[in-house]
Amino acid sequence: MPDQHGAWAMLAVPFLVGVLLAPRPRPAHAALFGAWLLGYVAVFHGQQWLRLRRHSRNPRAAGRHLRPGLVFGAACALLALPLAVLHPWLLWAGAAAGPCVAVNTYAARRNRERALWNGLAAVVPACGMLLVALRLGGGDLADGRRAALACLLYFGGTVPYVKTMIRERNSPAWRRASVAYHAVALVAAAWLSPWLALPFALYLARAALLPGRGLKPPLVGAAELTASALLLTTLTLTF
């Protein structure tokens, strides 16, 4: 299983916000959430297979991802097909995510998975799942628009922020860019709702104060899970 803590939070939080904001949470939400997670893992293994085939010197490295990709893909299909029959509009939602998945696949093929543009491309469909879950529960897409934008602001900011904590921890330019983004995100979030100013002010403080302190990746991941839980709570109470 992928060990990316931030990715799991990004997959779960927008979806859960959509479920909690929906007028009628349904059993179909559980099936859709399962298909969503299984699909992510299947795509992850498929992209790793593609990347390692081209870039690994170990001829067996890519093969380790083939069976998991097929198994998780089949499990995803078993959950997704009945949902598509009952709710055909889900096929359009899946198609809308296609360009972003294509970008991520291209990045994997070029061994550029850590590129900024690749991370941002992954954020878009994950945040879009808020609207999918909301509609599945009988909600109006307009009611979830501000919450989805808030998710985009937060998870979009995690891409440069995590770089300043790990791969670009010695780069002043990345740190300035991350702080600048979070300052703009604070203003935008406060415009969406004054209640969002509190968590986004904390996210700005985090981006300004934590880089350069030598925090280990597991601690960075745990902090991101906490920040994501704060976002989930704030959005659910606000909208």
Side-chain angles (χ1 to χ4, degrees):
M1 298 291 285
D3 59 353
Q4 303 156 341
H5 300 84
W8 289 115
M10 181 180 69
L11 294 171
V13 168
F15 189 96
L16 293 176
V17 172
V19 173
L20 293 172
L21 295 182
R24 298 186 303 276
R26 297 176 173 177
H29 278 123
L32 181 60
F33 189 55
W36 170 234
L37 296 182
L38 289 168
Y40 166 75
V41 178
V43 170
F44 168 82
H45 282 291
Q47 291 172 348
Q48 293 307 303
W49 175 81
L50 182 64
R51 179 180 68 86
L52 293 172
R53 278 193 67 194
R54 290 177 57 87
H55 300 284
S56 177
R57 296 180 179 179
N58 181 355
R60 297 183 178 180
R64 291 196 293 265
H65 292 278
L66 184 58
R67 182 178 295 179
L70 293 174
V71 170
F72 284 113
C76 173
L78 287 175
L79 286 177
L81 287 176
L83 287 171
V85 172
L86 294 173
H87 308 281
W89 61 269
L90 287 172
L91 295 174
W92 291 105
C100 294
V101 176
V103 169
N104 296 150
T105 303
Y106 173 76
R109 187 173 184 271
R110 295 290 304 274
N111 202 24
R112 296 289 308 279
E113 290 179 300
R114 303 299 179 182
L116 177 65
W117 50 268
N118 183 55
L120 294 176
V123 167
V124 174
C127 295
M129 286 301 291
L130 187 155
L131 300 176
V132 175
L134 179 62
R135 181 176 176 185
L136 186 63
D140 191 327
L141 294 184
D143 294 335
R145 185 169 50 200
R146 288 186 296 165
L149 288 174
C151 285
L152 277 173
L153 288 172
Y154 168 68
F155 286 107
T158 64
V159 179
Y161 165 70
V162 171
K163 287 185 178 295
T164 67
M165 298 297 292
I166 302 176
R167 290 181 176 269
E168 302 292 345
R169 57 183 176 273
N170 296 320
S171 172
W174 271 100
R175 193 176 304 178
R176 288 193 296 269
S178 176
V179 171
Y181 173 89
H182 283 84
V184 173
L186 170 58
V187 175
W191 177 76
L192 292 172
S193 170
W195 292 107
L196 290 174
L198 176 58
F200 276 86
L202 295 176
Y203 302 149
L204 173 58
R206 172 201 62 176
L209 300 177
L210 293 187
R213 296 186 177 273
L215 298 181
K216 300 298 183 182
L219 187 56
V220 174
E224 286 309 290
L225 291 177
T226 302
S228 299
L230 176 61
L231 180 70
L232 171 64
T233 303
T234 305
L235 291 178
T236 303
L237 294 176
T238 301
F239 299 113

